[in-house]
Amino acid sequence: MTARLIDGKAVAAALRADVARRVAAAGLSPGLAVVLIGDDPASAVYVRTKDKAAREAGIGARTIRLPTDTAQADLLRRIAALNADPAVDGILVQLPLPQGIDPAAVIAAIDPAKDVDGFHPLNVGALADGRPRLVPCTPLGVMKLLEAAGISPRGARAVVVGRSSIVGRPMAALLLTADATVTIAHSRTRDLPAECRRADILVAAVGRPEMIVGDWVQPGATVIDVGINRLADGRLVGDTAFSSCAAVAGAITPVPGGVGPMTVACLLENTLTAALARRG
Ligand code: GUN
């Protein structure tokens, strides 16, 4: 392996400690409401992780668990109540939602000032316009990882593989705002390996286990792996074939221990940002 390892666990721990310090220094007790509908086991794990991390940072976290057959109108009423609750600074509705609930309607119902996921159309539009407000946690975490690793996007050729609303699109917008030359590649991209090989910063967010291999990586490039895929044998792998990419890249994030921990840390940061903004 030639690549330098970017230690997301360490960067996330430092960010969480920093959020805890700023919460205490401001004499705040920000409130975060997490809404979990149904019994998806992966979502339950994520929500417990978020809840624990929030408490450790001095953020009052409350998880609202609702049954799978919750009616959309009932969910919208609960969101309206959280919007009106002055003790709540951040609202996160865990995705994916059960069949029969329209995620776009749910996200649009959240007060944009409390939208710590950065998914509300107003926050999406602000980011697209280069005026980021509350921005999605995973791409924000990637930007903080790059900064911590001393890798500047300015003038760099960045290729984002994946165009999801949660990661790919906001990732591209943040890199553009940071003066990178950005390409968004996806499943229909012609000659994906050639596009990837142009990247100084390659962000993999496709959700396909070990799809990107070392031959697709420019020697010395930075490889950021957003993927978390569970294989049949139980192993957790990213969207990049780690050892072959690490043999070519200049720096790379591991899975687990790369981007994943940053997502939770950035949720805490967004909650603090929302709490401070709401208090003027
Ligand atoms: N499900 C997977 N990632 C996310 C995320 O960042 N936010 C929410 N709300 N749900 C998710």
Side-chain angles (χ1 to χ4, degrees), residues 237-257:
V237 299
D239 293 345
T240 65
F242 182 82
S243 50
S244 81
C245 290
V248 183
I252 190 167
T253 60
V255 176

Side-chain angles (χ1 to χ4, degrees), residues 11-22:
V11 178
L15 176 57
R16 283 166 56 178
D18 183 55
V19 170
R21 205 163 30 240
R22 281 150 58 207

Side-chain angles (χ1 to χ4, degrees), residues 50 92-95 117 119 166:
K50 289 168 186 174
L92 180 149
V93 179
Q94 184 66 30
L95 304 176
D117 258 329
F119 295 165
I166 294 181

Side-chain angles (χ1 to χ4, degrees), residues 15-34 47-63 87-92 114 116 134 137 263-276 279:
L15 176 57
R16 283 166 56 178
D18 183 55
V19 170
R21 205 163 30 240
R22 281 150 58 207
V23 164
L28 286 177
S29 64
L32 172 65
V34 176
V47 166
R48 270 200 302 277
T49 306
K50 289 168 186 174
D51 195 87
K52 180 167 175 283
R55 284 166 198 279
E56 286 172 5
I59 292 169
R62 125 159 66 126
T63 301
V88 173
D89 295 292
I91 302 169
L92 180 149
K114 297 187 177 187
V116 285
L134 288 168
C137 301
T263 299
V264 175
C266 287
L267 173 64
L268 307 184
E269 160 118 336
N270 276 354
T271 305
L272 174 57
T273 301
L276 291 171
R279 286 160 180 79

Side-chain angles (χ1 to χ4, degrees), residues 2-242:
T2 59
R4 175 160 61 99
L5 206 64
I6 301 175
D7 185 351
K9 246 171 104 171
V11 178
L15 176 57
R16 283 166 56 178
D18 183 55
V19 170
R21 205 163 30 240
R22 281 150 58 207
V23 164
L28 286 177
S29 64
L32 172 65
V34 176
V35 183
L36 174 61
I37 302 132
D39 44 21
D40 178 57
S43 290
V45 173
Y46 290 139
V47 166
R48 270 200 302 277
T49 306
K50 289 168 186 174
D51 195 87
K52 180 167 175 283
R55 284 166 198 279
E56 286 172 5
I59 292 169
R62 125 159 66 126
T63 301
I64 297 150
R65 291 185 171 76
L66 300 173
T68 308
D69 62 0
T70 299
Q72 178 167 315
D74 184 24
L75 178 56
L76 294 180
R77 269 193 298 274
R78 285 180 182 266
I79 290 172
L82 294 171
N83 285 344
D85 185 341
V88 173
D89 295 292
I91 302 169
L92 180 149
V93 179
Q94 184 66 30
L95 304 176
L97 292 168
Q99 290 282 325
I101 299 182
D102 174 15
V106 171
I107 289 164
I110 297 171
D111 178 349
K114 297 187 177 187
D115 170 37
V116 285
D117 258 329
F119 295 165
H120 188 282
L122 214 105
N123 288 320
V124 173
L127 174 58
D129 197 33
R131 301 174 286 107
R133 293 153 67 103
L134 288 168
V135 308
C137 301
T138 299
L140 179 60
V142 171
M143 297 306 288
K144 287 180 183 292
L145 270 187
L146 290 173
E147 189 184 353
I151 294 156
S152 171
R154 173 174 287 186
R157 204 184 288 276
V159 175
V160 179
V161 189
R163 52 178 159 178
S164 72
S165 303
I166 294 181
V167 184
R169 289 169 195 261
M171 184 77 257
L174 280 173
L175 286 164
L176 181 60
T177 301
D179 299 327
T181 302
V182 183
T183 299
I184 306 180
H186 46 79
S187 55
R188 300 291 166 91
T189 294
R190 202 187 311 136
D191 201 350
L192 183 57
E195 289 297 338
C196 290
R197 250 175 245 125
R198 290 153 55 85
D200 303 312
I201 298 171
L202 179 61
V203 181
V206 262
R208 300 262 305 270
E210 301 181 318
M211 187 183 85
I212 292 169
V213 295
D215 180 48
W216 298 19
V217 175
Q218 178 192 144
T222 299
V223 176
I224 304 288
D225 193 341
V226 180
I228 303 178
N229 310 286
R230 180 77 67 183
L231 298 183
D233 66 7
R235 272 191 312 136
L236 211 57
V237 299
D239 293 345
T240 65
F242 182 82

